Amino acid sequence: GQSLEQPSEVTAVEGAIVQINCTYQTSGFYGLSWYQQHDGGAPTFLSYNALDGLEETGRFSSFLSRSDSYGYLLLQELQMKDSASYFCAVSGATNKLIFGTGTLLAVQP
Amino acid sequence: EAGVTQFPSHSVIEKGQTVTLRCDPISGHDNLYWYRRVMGKEIKFLLHFVKESKQDESGMPNNRFLAERTGGTYSTLKVQPAELEDSGVYFCASSRGVRETQYFGPGTRLLVL
């Protein structure tokens, strides 16, 4: 079967750095994506990793280790507006996204 | 460039009724996906269109769900007859190419009473 695991909740303070981990079990792995969702609205694409290593996009970075079936999303210089749910999702041969259950990030002042 | 739009934003219907959800993808995006999130669960794939053809419908829960994409533009997802367990948020996403980023719409919140 296919499954993804990520922490259900993470709390951090403004200005801090937070890392959200994602481990996966899937067949036909092609890449790992991260999406942000505010208040149940449209999931917004953040980043994508197909190869091992770190991808940086502004304050957000994403890492993938294919051999460990593991990735993480790193958020730096946290802001209150970063409070949201974050989902990792794997894509395989058919390109459908298999989502994790999401991590609720609470940023405190 | 306009994003993915979905209509209606909310729908409340009674068990046994029919509901049709609509998705307008980003212009020029050949790939259109339907997903749904049932309360407390993860977002789950329903099906994938490439233009007007169903590429993958492995996630469709049963034959009460019918998706169409006539003309390869907008898509509709009909639930007939609706059951209580169909309640949830139905998301549509589109991408230009198969391996390209999927952009999601705001979702339709369906409540079946």
Side-chain angles (χ1 to χ4, degrees), chain A residues 22-90:
Chain A
C22 175
T23 57
Y24 59 87
Q25 284 186 311
T26 183
S27 57
F29 176 86
Y30 198 87
L32 183 71
S33 301
W34 287 92
Y35 283 81
Q36 178 192 61
Q37 187 185 40
H38 279 103
D39 299 323
T44 302
F45 173 78
L46 293 176
S47 68
Y48 173 74
N49 296 70
L51 302 175
D52 285 357
L54 191 68
E55 293 283 341
E56 297 182 66
T57 309
R59 295 187 297 115
F60 294 178
S61 303
S62 59
F63 172 83
L64 175 67
S65 169
R66 295 173 69 112
S67 59
D68 294 324
S69 298
Y70 163 75
Y72 65 73
L73 179 69
L74 190 74
L75 298 86
Q76 302 182 71
E77 301 172 21
L78 279 176
Q79 302 175 9
M80 297 297 291
K81 68 178 182 179
D82 297 329
S83 293
S85 290
Y86 291 84
F87 295 87
C88 58
V90 297

Side-chain angles (χ1 to χ4, degrees), chain B residues 8 10-21 64 78-84 86-87 90 109-113:
Chain B
H10 295 78
S11 181
V12 181
I13 61 173
E14 292 187 351
K15 176 183 171 180
Q17 290 186 319
T18 297
V19 63
T20 300
L21 315 180
R64 295 185 294 103
K78 184 190 316 188
V79 185
Q80 179 183 32
E83 298 289 345
L84 299 180
D86 301 332
S87 296
Y90 289 76
R109 281 143 189 79
L110 174 65
L111 179 60
V112 182
L113 301 175

Side-chain angles (χ1 to χ4, degrees), chain A residues 30 35 37 39-43 45 48 87 91-102, chain B residues 33 35 37 42-43 45 48 56 58 89 91 95 97-106 109:
Chain A
Y30 198 87
Y35 283 81
Q37 187 185 40
D39 299 323
F45 173 78
Y48 173 74
F87 295 87
S91 52
T94 60
N95 205 47
K96 66 183 179 186
L97 293 173
I98 309 295
F99 282 87
T101 50
Chain B
Y33 309 80
Y35 294 85
R37 188 178 193 191
E42 66 272 25
I43 300 170
F45 168 82
H48 169 205
D56 180 359
S58 61
V89 183
F91 290 104
S95 68
V98 173
R99 287 290 169 209
E100 297 186 45
T101 300
Q102 294 183 31
Y103 296 93
F104 281 74
R109 281 143 189 79

